[in-house]
Amino acid sequence: VQLQASGGGLVQAGGSLRLSCVASDLTFSNYVMGWFRLAPGKEREFVVMINWTGTSTYYADSVKGRFTITRDDTKNTVYLQMNSLRPEDTAIYYCAADRHLATMWNNDHYGMDYWGKGTLVTVSS
């Protein structure tokens, strides 16, 4: 199984980026998909997740109203549209897949079924 994240880069504050995460060798529709981020000097932070059917999403308060997660099961891909970016959004963003909502909600690193390798997002002020 592989989760390949892409779309990171350097953007000015107020700008936008769209991250993608393509999953291979798993039954995508069986998995809750999520994004986490790791900023320098900070602990890994839950950002957002989307349930198996795409009908429910859950956002960290810090990104509500600015970030949007979607999934396309025909492409085994989850997207993270990030708008109104702030310097504090600077981090490595990781996608994750798990069969259970609770694992992702609890930020259970070791319990997570799969992690991607991450993509760097840098927001300049």
Side-chain angles (χ1 to χ4, degrees):
V1 173
Q2 187 175 15
L3 301 180
Q4 184 65 51
S6 62
L10 174 63
V11 64
Q12 288 188 332
S16 298
L17 283 174
R18 190 176 83 151
L19 306 184
S20 300
C21 176
V22 181
S24 57
D25 297 324
L26 83 170
T27 305
F28 191 69
S29 59
N30 286 352
Y31 287 84
V32 177
M33 299 299 297
W35 291 92
F36 295 77
R37 65 188 181 185
L38 182 61
K42 295 187 177 180
E43 295 185 351
R44 186 184 64 252
E45 175 187 19
F46 165 80
V47 177
V48 60
M49 64 180 174
I50 187 166
N51 72 348
W52 310 267
T53 58
T55 53
S56 294
T57 55
Y58 308 86
Y59 293 88
D61 288 342
S62 58
V63 306
K64 276 181 184 176
R66 301 188 298 121
F67 289 12
T68 303
I69 187 171
T70 56
R71 64 188 294 159
D72 184 343
D73 285 15
T74 66
K75 297 180 179 179
N76 279 15
T77 301
V78 61
Y79 302 99
L80 181 61
Q81 179 67 42
M82 305 186 295
N83 298 330
S84 302
L85 282 162
R86 305 167 180 169
E88 54 264 38
D89 295 318
T90 295
I92 301 173
Y93 284 71
Y94 297 89
C95 65
D98 197 88
R99 290 159 291 169
H100 305 104
L101 280 172
T103 307
M104 210 158 285
W105 184 253
N106 293 327
N107 197 357
D108 183 354
H109 178 85
Y110 294 105
M112 198 73 66
D113 286 337
Y114 304 108
W115 287 97
K117 288 188 176 180
T119 184
L120 177 62
V121 172
T122 304
V123 184
S124 62
S125 56

